[in-house]
Amino acid sequence: MKVLMVLTSHDKLGDTGHKTGFWLEELAAPYYVFKDNNVEVVLASPLGGQPPLDPKSDEVDFQTESTKRFKLDSDAQQQLATTIVLSTVNVADYDAVFYPGGHGPLWDLAEDSTSIALIENTLKHDKVLGLVCHAPGALKHAKNTDGTSIVKGKKVTGFTNGEEDAVQLTDIVPFLVEDMLIANGADYAKAADWHPFTQVDGKLVTGQNPASSELVAQQMLALLG
């Protein structure tokens, strides 16, 4: 089994002067769910190389057993430093694709034509697709073969308006994940803010927030059999 994990290359938090990127726990926890179950993991990003880490996700309050393990794992750190360029990816080489969140994906992966095509082809070829927290924002422009939104009528979740408000970035982000999914016709559902919550619809697995990342990976594994 082989899983592609797609990370953001975007590091600017709008015009705030602050940095963003991927959220560490949303990479680390699923990474080990896959690795510990003998699934090969390949990391990719639009620009390749070292993707930007959201500095906030590296703060003491957000450390978990998985993040600590990831930081001490020389193989994982080497993989992270040398992510492959997303445009070189062939979806046929993978059994599943997973997108960690962080705010970065709202700027690049949501608009990146290569990422959009990857999402479309993953589901078209009946492979497992997982996205957590802000990463469901990458579904924004993805379409079915009939031109409808890929999330239309699908059970999905993602970072809530309440959670965005709590981190005081409602006016900074290019769009709100919850609003976008609803506008695109998704059957959007959520739990209380910051509680683990996922939705599974066919081969599409989505998670609400960082607390949901491990659960998304576990549900992806179940679908992979």
Side-chain angles (χ1 to χ4, degrees):
M1 288 285 185
K2 199 170 174 184
V3 173
L4 180 74
M5 298 181 83
V6 182
L7 293 150
T8 181
S9 292
H10 184 88
D11 71 349
K12 292 181 182 65
L13 192 59
D15 300 322
T16 62
H18 295 296
K19 293 292 189 187
T20 189
F22 71 89
W23 196 262
L24 181 57
E25 197 273 343
E26 295 170 31
L27 169 63
Y31 182 88
Y32 289 116
V33 169
F34 297 134
K35 293 286 269 195
D36 293 345
N37 284 280
N38 300 313
V39 176
E40 185 184 344
V41 175
V42 176
L43 305 183
S45 62
L47 300 179
Q50 179 80 47
L53 171 67
D54 186 319
K56 192 130 187 90
S57 74
D58 211 17
E59 291 176 1
V60 175
D61 288 355
F62 298 113
Q63 298 314 303
T64 64
E65 290 309 309
S66 296
T67 64
K68 291 169 191 168
R69 181 179 170 190
F70 193 84
K71 284 185 180 181
L72 296 171
D73 184 337
S74 57
D75 288 344
Q77 291 301 316
Q78 175 62 18
Q79 267 196 286
L80 186 62
T82 57
T83 66
I84 64 172
V85 177
L86 192 58
S87 60
T88 66
V89 164
N90 181 357
V91 73
D93 296 338
Y94 300 91
D95 300 289
V97 178
F98 176 79
Y99 282 69
H103 282 87
L106 299 185
W107 278 274
D108 65 349
L109 295 173
E111 307 297 333
D112 185 278
S113 58
T114 303
S115 174
I116 293 163
L118 174 66
I119 287 167
E120 292 171 347
N121 287 326
T122 300
L123 291 177
K124 190 161 76 180
H125 292 102
D126 202 35
K127 292 170 187 273
V128 178
L129 175 66
L131 313 94
V132 70
C133 199
H134 284 90
L139 300 168
K140 184 178 183 184
H141 298 299
K143 302 273 195 289
N144 296 304
T145 46
D146 64 1
T148 57
S149 170
I150 216 149
V151 298
K152 188 178 182 190
K154 290 242 174 75
K155 290 180 177 153
V156 296
T157 189
F159 206 60
T160 70
N161 290 354
E163 288 165 334
E164 201 67 83
D165 201 43
V167 298
Q168 301 181 326
L169 292 173
T170 301
D171 298 329
I172 308 299
V173 292
F175 62 92
L176 296 169
V177 175
E178 177 179 337
D179 286 356
M180 179 278 291
L181 292 169
I182 292 168
N184 280 358
D187 179 7
Y188 178 88
K190 59 186 174 183
D193 288 352
W194 313 116
H195 283 253
F197 182 73
T198 62
Q199 290 272 70
V200 181
D201 194 316
K203 297 285 179 76
L204 176 63
V205 186
T206 48
Q208 181 176 316
N209 46 36
S212 313
S213 59
E214 196 167 311
L215 195 51
V216 170
Q218 288 166 346
Q219 288 170 331
M220 290 175 69
L221 268 187
L223 288 171
L224 287 166

